[in-house]
Amino acid sequence: MKTIDELLADGVDGKRVFVRADLNVPLADGTITDDGRIRAVLPTVKALADAGAKVVVASHLGRPKGAPDPAFSLLPAAERLGELLDAPVAFAQDTVGPAAHDAVDGLQPGQVAVIENLRFNPGETSKDDAERGEFADRLAALADVYVGDGFGAVHRKHASVYDLPARLPHYAGYLIATEVGVLKKLTEDVQRPYAVALGGAKVSDKLAVIDELLGKADRILIGGGMAYTFLKAKGYEVGSSLLQEDQLAAVTEYIERAEKTGVELVLPVDTVVAPEFPDLKTKAPGNPTTVAADAMPAGQMGLDIGPESGALYAAKLADAQTVFWNGPMGVFEHPDFADGTRAVAQALVESKGFTVVGGGDSAAAVRILGFDENAFGHISTGGGASLEYLEGKTLPGLAALED
């Protein structure tokens, strides 16, 4: 991949540079609750603007149904980008229509515009190559050069990610270059012991990466809702906890393979339970109790790993030279069920190894729980993209940037 440094060396003064960013930030009543993804693209946008480019920033947000929807407008993200740049940012209320062309045509060298949510156009996510290509053609008319910097979307074969780079000179932005460098450290140049902590709700979301890591990691720690499918596979009662019964056979096979290959598969030894899922809006007390992992009452729901598990996981991470963490250990958004996630995050902070927080809810948890982001080796902006890279898949958005 050619990098943005090569583009800057050639000169961008007065050129229209299309930056495919990932501004897919969480919103609550129109207010951004975590601006991490906007801050992640700042170095690329600022470097281009400082070099005199006319910067056109584009992104998706949420999952609108291929038509404009005010609930998914990028306007709040555009306004926040302007605040962080300390400079005006123009906003176009469409993607490839008159407003987008007017915004881009109105740019002076060094100025920035954001066009509306790419997914307001059905061509962005279409599975039909021709429909995607037609939208990519219209996007290409807005720019002279393409810079890919939306790492959180590179695993999607979407028009702005996959088709557009083929239509313009293309380069990788600073964020993508950093993310790929980190992932190579997790796959090609691994310092051992290599420990992986996996959480989140569904084991089905992690099966492929577990399959791949069983041949590469030294230890795999399992938490979150997915842990209860593992515990059920061991014959334990899991009450009303999240359970994917259709994955029990696969999980049983992974447990057996880990034993045969010498990979240490670590499961919770205790769990925090409650009668029902907590209210995340009011944060009303969740009535938690802690029980042994093999003694869960039938009427209770597992919502976090317990304190003994938290201490065990921290110990298993303590001497690791490489740590990858993807997925919270419990319902971290509620204070009664956040301690397991906090314990894993703290273990990464105290680690002397290379630590990677694999995007998504893990990255959100780090910020919500008040950790210093600089205390981690790297916080990824793309959970799904990171996992698919570790699974060994070809990511369309990265392939499109290669020459």
Side-chain angles (χ1 to χ4, degrees):
M1 290 187 288
K2 290 181 180 177
T3 68
I4 186 175
D5 284 333
E6 295 172 79
L7 171 61
L8 292 170
D10 292 338
V12 293
D13 190 26
K15 289 185 178 180
R16 301 171 302 164
V17 181
F18 188 103
V19 177
R20 201 331 180 160
D22 179 10
L23 308 181
N24 186 28
V25 292
L27 295 169
D29 299 322
T31 300
I32 296 170
T33 58
D34 180 358
D35 66 358
R37 285 177 168 164
I38 302 174
R39 287 185 285 112
V41 79
L42 276 179
T44 290
V45 173
K46 193 170 188 312
L48 290 167
D50 288 349
K54 300 175 180 179
V55 187
V56 183
V57 180
S59 175
H60 70 287
L61 192 153
R63 296 188 178 184
K65 306 297 184 182
D69 183 338
F72 296 106
S73 174
L74 275 176
L75 179 58
E79 291 174 342
R80 181 60 180 149
L81 178 63
E83 291 171 359
L84 292 168
L85 289 170
D86 194 23
V89 169
F91 180 70
Q93 293 182 325
D94 59 28
T95 54
V96 290
H101 282 274
D102 287 347
V104 174
D105 292 345
L107 290 176
Q108 297 298 312
Q111 293 185 334
V112 179
V114 174
I115 62 174
E116 186 54 286
N117 192 337
L118 292 164
R119 291 185 183 175
F120 285 0
N121 190 304
E124 170 67 1
T125 59
S126 176
K127 290 182 168 46
D128 181 82
D129 291 349
E131 186 177 14
R132 275 200 332 274
E134 187 272 337
F135 184 50
D137 287 339
R138 297 180 70 187
L139 289 172
L142 296 171
D144 305 304
V145 182
Y146 178 92
V147 172
D149 215 29
F151 180 74
V154 294
H155 58 315
R156 306 295 187 193
K157 193 176 181 181
H158 291 170
S160 66
V161 175
Y162 179 75
D163 302 273
L164 183 55
R167 289 157 167 77
L168 295 169
H170 46 269
Y171 301 82
Y174 290 126
L175 175 61
I176 279 186
T178 297
E179 295 272 14
V180 171
V182 166
L183 289 168
K184 285 185 176 180
K185 283 189 177 184
L186 297 177
T187 54
E188 299 174 14
D189 185 26
V190 180
Q191 301 299 306
R192 298 187 180 277
Y194 178 19
V196 176
L198 296 175
K202 294 182 178 180
V203 70
S204 55
D205 294 341
K206 304 290 196 304
L207 283 180
V209 77
I210 294 171
D211 184 65
E212 188 72 17
L213 289 170
L214 278 171
K216 295 180 178 177
D218 299 300
R219 299 172 196 143
I220 302 177
L221 287 55
I222 303 294
M226 62 184 283
Y228 301 102
T229 301
F230 278 84
L231 294 174
K232 183 70 172 181
K234 290 180 70 69
Y236 297 168
E237 169 67 49
V238 295
S240 57
S241 307
L242 185 62
L243 173 64
Q244 289 187 281
E245 293 200 38
D246 61 332
Q247 304 298 334
L248 285 171
V251 166
T252 299
E253 191 269 326
Y254 288 165
I255 292 172
E256 293 172 352
R257 200 196 322 167
E259 291 176 356
K260 290 177 183 176
T261 57
V263 175
E264 191 176 1
L265 188 64
V266 186
L267 301 178
V269 294
D270 61 346
T271 183
V272 181
V273 301
E276 58 188 7
F277 197 84
D279 187 328
L280 300 183
K281 286 188 176 180
T282 66
K283 302 292 194 296
N287 300 314
T289 55
T290 300
V291 298
D294 60 355
M296 191 182 301
Q300 296 284 309
M301 175 184 295
L303 296 166
D304 192 15
I305 61 171
E308 288 186 27
S309 300
L312 171 65
Y313 287 19
K316 295 295 183 182
L317 297 172
D319 68 337
Q321 293 304 300
T322 304
V323 181
F324 175 73
W325 170 34
N326 180 279
M329 296 292 107
V331 186
F332 70 91
E333 302 93 337
H334 193 286
D336 287 343
F337 309 104
D339 286 347
T341 301
R342 184 179 289 107
V344 169
Q346 186 63 40
L348 266 68
V349 167
E350 295 174 1
S351 170
K352 293 180 172 58
F354 178 61
T355 59
V356 179
V357 179
D361 286 340
S362 309
V366 162
R367 299 182 183 108
I368 289 172
L369 297 177
F371 286 91
D372 179 0
E373 294 180 45
N374 295 319
F376 302 88
H378 178 71
I379 299 179
S380 178
T381 56
S386 295
L387 288 177
E388 290 199 16
Y389 190 102
L390 293 181
E391 289 166 21
K393 291 183 178 179
T394 296
L395 305 188
L398 295 185
L401 292 176
E402 294 173 354
D403 287 316

